[in-house]
Amino acid sequence: MSRDSQDDAPRIVGTSTVYEGWARYLVAEVRMPDGTRIGREVEDHGPAVAVLPYDPERRVALLVRQFRTPPCFVDGTASILEAPAGLREEDDPEACARREAFEEVGLRLSTFEPAGRVWSLPGLSTERMDLFLAPYRAADREEGAGGGLAEEHENIEVVEVPLATLAAEAEAGEIADMKTLCLIQTLRLRHPSLFADTDRD
């Protein structure tokens, strides 16, 4: 019998909820192929999206800088530079990316380039994230919009960064957020001419 058959694969045979708030925290009982039963923790808050808006004419990207509690807890990090992102409330990932871009950076995006659907932290979380690149023009940005939702205390700072700077920071290992690093590197692979100044041999 194939090792990939259902009989030989680990199976979840039960779960118990240990906490429910913004996210649920579960303990799953997993039956291994040899019959052993083990417990595994699961953080469950559903799917998400992230989008890297970039202006191909001015060669800049719009990112956000915001406080994140876990990095602060680990080493006192005050803020993280990130691509706009959020939980997927809509069925259509593009519609969610469009909403998040407007809420966080005040952009009305119309064109999206899918860049993958990835598990953010497969050892712990159920979050599967749709990644997008999205070209924009300066005229697509609405004055006074962005910054996140006040009722969610997001306190988002909108940051316009030259693509050359992002490439250099990626090369130097200075992009701390994984989704943002993935999007920057995908943009570099798909549109290398935007990074001509930093990708010289």
Side-chain angles (χ1 to χ4, degrees):
M1 183 178 292
S2 168
R3 289 294 300 170
D4 294 330
S5 70
Q6 278 194 328
D7 289 343
D8 286 335
R11 296 179 61 188
I12 296 175
V13 295
T15 61
S16 60
T17 301
V18 295
Y19 173 81
E20 190 153 5
W22 179 83
R24 288 192 307 157
Y25 294 86
L26 316 170
V27 175
E29 184 180 0
V30 181
R31 188 176 69 197
M32 303 303 287
D34 65 359
T36 304
R37 295 195 177 206
I38 59 175
R40 288 290 184 264
E41 292 81 5
V42 178
E43 183 275 341
D44 177 32
H45 64 249
V49 302
V51 57
L52 180 65
Y54 68 96
D55 184 332
E57 294 181 3
R58 295 185 300 128
R59 298 190 180 190
V60 297
L62 270 182
L63 301 174
V64 299
R65 187 178 296 281
Q66 59 186 317
F67 172 79
R68 294 294 200 183
T69 305
C72 183
F73 173 77
V74 171
D75 63 9
T77 296
S79 64
I80 298 285
L81 187 68
E82 304 178 43
L87 297 186
R88 203 178 84 202
E89 300 172 7
E90 299 86 348
D91 290 336
D92 179 9
E94 282 191 17
C96 182
R98 186 175 292 109
R99 173 179 55 78
E100 288 292 339
F102 184 73
E103 288 179 2
E104 296 195 359
V105 297
L107 274 179
R108 296 191 181 278
L109 297 175
S110 57
T111 302
F112 293 88
E113 306 171 32
R117 174 175 289 177
V118 298
W119 296 106
S120 303
L121 187 61
L124 175 65
S125 179
T126 63
E127 181 179 270
R128 184 155 51 177
M129 181 173 283
D130 286 276
L131 302 176
F132 296 97
L133 304 173
Y136 75 93
R137 299 168 303 164
D140 297 328
R141 191 170 179 189
E142 185 166 314
E143 189 70 28
L149 300 178
E151 62 269 26
E152 295 183 6
H153 307 285
E154 291 182 303
N155 299 315
I156 291 172
E157 177 190 359
V158 181
V159 184
E160 190 172 75
V161 185
L163 294 178
T165 299
L166 292 177
E169 291 178 351
E171 289 292 337
E174 296 172 356
I175 303 295
D177 179 61
M178 187 179 294
K179 65 181 179 293
T180 305
L181 179 62
C182 288
L183 285 166
I184 292 168
Q185 300 293 49
T186 300
L187 183 63
R188 294 178 75 189
L189 287 170
R190 293 188 182 180
H191 303 286
S193 62
L194 298 177
F195 301 88
D197 290 341
T198 58
D199 287 346
R200 288 176 298 192
D201 293 335

